[in-house]
Amino acid sequence: MRLGDRELPLSQYVALDPERVCRRSLPLLLKILDPLPEPIRGDLYLETHDTKHEVYVVTRVDPEAWPDGRGGVRLGVDQALRGTAASDSQFRDSFLAAVCAYERVRRAIDDATAGAEEHASEPELRAAMNRFTSIRRLAVGDVVQVAPGLPHALQHGVRVFEFQTPTYERNIISFAQRVVSQPHWDSEYAITRATLDAAPEPAIEPVQTLPQARVERIAAFSDFEVQRLTVSGHGQIALDWYPDTTPYSMVAACSGEWRLDALTLGAECAAFIPACATTCTLVNQTAETQTALLALPLPHTAGNIDAVDAS
């Protein structure tokens, strides 16, 4: 967190005055996910969450990994395959059996105990496991909304902004490499509780249209929402339409060069706007139309941080 000429950890900045900074609302987490461009090696965990909500916005698709400009995310289960099962319970059992078969070979390979037959079977078992899930193709600017229980895995070479609720839980269904963050997979737990319905297309809701900008709500979860700001070349927009009771806001630039009052933001840079700030103006400093994101925790999230002694 840059505060004038000083840099502070976000925790210290909030502790200065949690009421004025964020109305005692827990900060949202904003990350850039940048998977390696190589297939398999760059594919992230297939996982679910119990309570965490995530929103991805694609900022880059590696042209060598995806020559047509459209990458992918593994998102939800394959509905055609689900339809061939006698029941959802049978589908879950078959999915789990395929994952367990792959895990045995994966662990043998990772532990250097696998023989030639196990090495040879790895691609086939991985394909058999992956057929239970669905791939959604993605281009720059596309939005992915991940609700709790939805199996998902960002694929290689797809760079995204990720907004998420401030929780640190995951249930790993599978991974085509050694898992180094924990000693086990959570396959049975995750598959038993996973959402089997197809992932809905992201809901894009118009908020307002101005002479120089368009505002759309691209995610609305129980605790926060994310809006997409499309601003014409050299255009600007005053960030003044959301409720005064909003605990704080975050602006993230997807592309271009921006000015947020006295602050300059380049592509994939973000700014935290505290509750005590007066209305800010966001200016597109390029001649081309550019996109930025605005994250807004909802008013009911205020008051979740206990009093802090910052002395």
Side-chain angles (χ1 to χ4, degrees):
M1 173 67 64
R2 183 178 296 277
L3 189 63
D5 295 331
R6 303 165 56 201
E7 288 191 1
L8 290 176
L10 180 59
S11 58
Q12 290 185 20
Y13 176 64
V14 170
L16 292 175
D17 192 333
E19 186 62 40
R20 297 186 72 238
V21 169
C22 59
R23 293 197 172 97
R24 300 189 184 281
S25 177
L26 292 172
L28 293 172
L29 299 182
L30 170 61
K31 299 189 294 188
I32 292 177
L33 300 184
D34 186 18
L36 295 170
E38 296 91 346
I40 304 174
R41 186 163 174 254
D43 298 335
L44 303 189
Y45 299 124
L46 179 66
E47 62 186 16
T48 65
H49 304 297
D50 291 332
T51 61
K52 183 165 71 172
H53 292 80
E54 299 175 332
V55 181
Y56 300 159
V57 181
V58 180
T59 59
R60 185 177 186 273
V61 174
D62 188 279
E64 294 187 9
W66 307 93
D68 66 353
R70 298 177 69 235
V73 59
R74 199 169 290 280
L75 193 68
V77 305
D78 185 276
Q79 297 301 305
L81 186 60
R82 179 190 178 192
T84 66
S87 65
D88 281 348
S89 178
Q90 184 187 76
F91 178 84
R92 292 181 197 272
D93 290 345
S94 299
F95 187 9
L96 179 59
V99 169
C100 290
Y102 180 75
E103 184 182 11
R104 286 191 291 271
V105 169
R106 179 76 262 154
R107 290 193 179 279
I109 291 173
D110 292 340
D111 296 339
T113 60
E117 184 176 341
E118 289 168 306
H119 277 281
S121 67
E122 188 274 340
E124 181 180 352
L125 291 173
R126 174 164 35 84
M129 173 183 67
N130 286 343
R131 64 192 286 264
F132 284 86
T133 51
S134 178
I135 291 285
R136 177 174 291 181
R137 300 299 302 278
L138 298 173
V140 171
D142 282 352
V143 176
V144 180
Q145 300 167 353
V146 181
L150 184 67
H152 61 284
L154 189 64
Q155 300 296 282
H156 59 282
V158 182
R159 187 175 171 96
V160 302
F161 266 138
E162 179 193 354
F163 291 93
Q164 65 173 71
T165 46
T167 48
Y168 298 88
E169 42 87 7
R170 67 154 55 101
N171 308 310
I172 295 176
I173 296 176
S174 64
F175 193 41
Q177 302 171 58
R178 181 191 294 275
V179 173
V180 297
S181 59
Q182 62 185 54
H184 58 84
W185 293 6
D186 311 296
S187 311
E188 182 174 5
Y189 177 92
I191 292 173
T192 299
R193 294 163 175 79
T195 299
L196 297 187
D197 291 340
E201 292 293 326
I204 309 297
E205 176 188 352
V207 174
Q208 62 175 333
T209 300
L210 303 170
Q212 298 179 331
R214 183 174 72 254
V215 182
E216 302 163 300
R217 184 175 292 106
I218 61 172
F221 291 127
S222 59
D223 288 342
F224 74 101
E225 66 178 64
V226 180
Q227 298 178 0
R228 179 168 58 192
L229 316 179
T230 304
V231 183
S232 60
H234 299 301
Q236 64 182 40
I237 181 171
L239 306 182
D240 61 359
W241 63 88
Y242 48 88
D244 291 340
T245 52
T246 300
Y248 60 88
S249 59
M250 292 173 60
V251 172
C254 292
S255 58
E257 291 286 335
W258 301 81
R259 189 178 74 252
L260 181 65
D261 289 352
L263 181 67
T264 298
L265 293 178
E268 297 186 333
C269 293
F272 181 97
I273 304 176
C276 61
T278 56
T279 299
C280 297
T281 299
L282 185 66
V283 181
N284 175 7
Q285 299 197 104
T286 75
E288 295 80 32
T289 297
Q290 304 290 354
T291 301
L293 304 174
L294 180 70
L296 303 167
L298 300 184
H300 74 262
T301 64
N304 289 328
I305 298 178
D306 293 334
V308 176
D309 182 0
S311 60

